[in-house]
Amino acid sequence: GFRDLHHKRGMASALAGFARLALQLGAPARAITLAAAATVLYQATGARARERDVRTLEQTRDIAFQAIDAEQSQSQWTAGLRMTADEAVRYALTPGPVTRAGSS
């Protein structure tokens, strides 16, 4: 019902936030996986997903796709699409390798 729909939108929003953070921290592959998982959840909410949130997620995805090669991008995207919501949340909360641009 509505509670489940609201929950999915909230989870999608959180995953989208983690995708943006991963991109900012120099982990575009991780950002792509999280963006894919968020996309699946946004699609599950149908028209009730906020347009602004979806646009921001698409921007994150597009920037991340440009940061790594096409084959890896597609592989990461597919991995995110296949995750269950619970798997995606666990992935988002598990620290991944982080490389900071410009650090020595």
Side-chain angles (χ1 to χ4, degrees), residues 29 32-34 36-37 40 72-84 87-88 91:
I32 289 169
T33 302
L34 290 166
V40 170
Q72 186 184 9
S73 295
Q74 195 56 53
S75 174
Q76 295 295 136
W77 183 258
T78 300
L81 293 180
R82 291 179 176 161
M83 286 182 175
T84 66
E87 288 170 343
Y91 180 76

Side-chain angles (χ1 to χ4, degrees), residues 3-89:
R3 181 178 296 161
D4 186 50
L5 183 67
H6 181 69
H7 182 62
K8 284 179 181 169
R9 186 170 57 202
M11 288 176 70
S13 182
L15 290 172
F18 277 108
R20 281 192 307 278
L21 180 61
L23 187 60
Q24 291 166 357
L25 292 174
R30 187 174 178 82
I32 289 169
T33 302
L34 290 166
T39 297
V40 170
L41 284 171
Y42 274 133
Q43 288 171 349
T45 68
R48 292 192 173 98
R50 290 191 204 103
E51 207 175 307
R52 182 187 74 232
D53 293 341
V54 174
R55 271 199 317 273
T56 300
L57 178 60
E58 289 171 347
Q59 289 172 345
T60 299
R61 177 201 64 204
D62 292 348
I63 293 167
F65 260 80
Q66 292 170 13
I68 58 178
D69 70 75
E71 189 176 330
Q72 186 184 9
S73 295
Q74 195 56 53
S75 174
Q76 295 295 136
W77 183 258
T78 300
L81 293 180
R82 291 179 176 161
M83 286 182 175
T84 66
D86 287 342
E87 288 170 343
V89 170

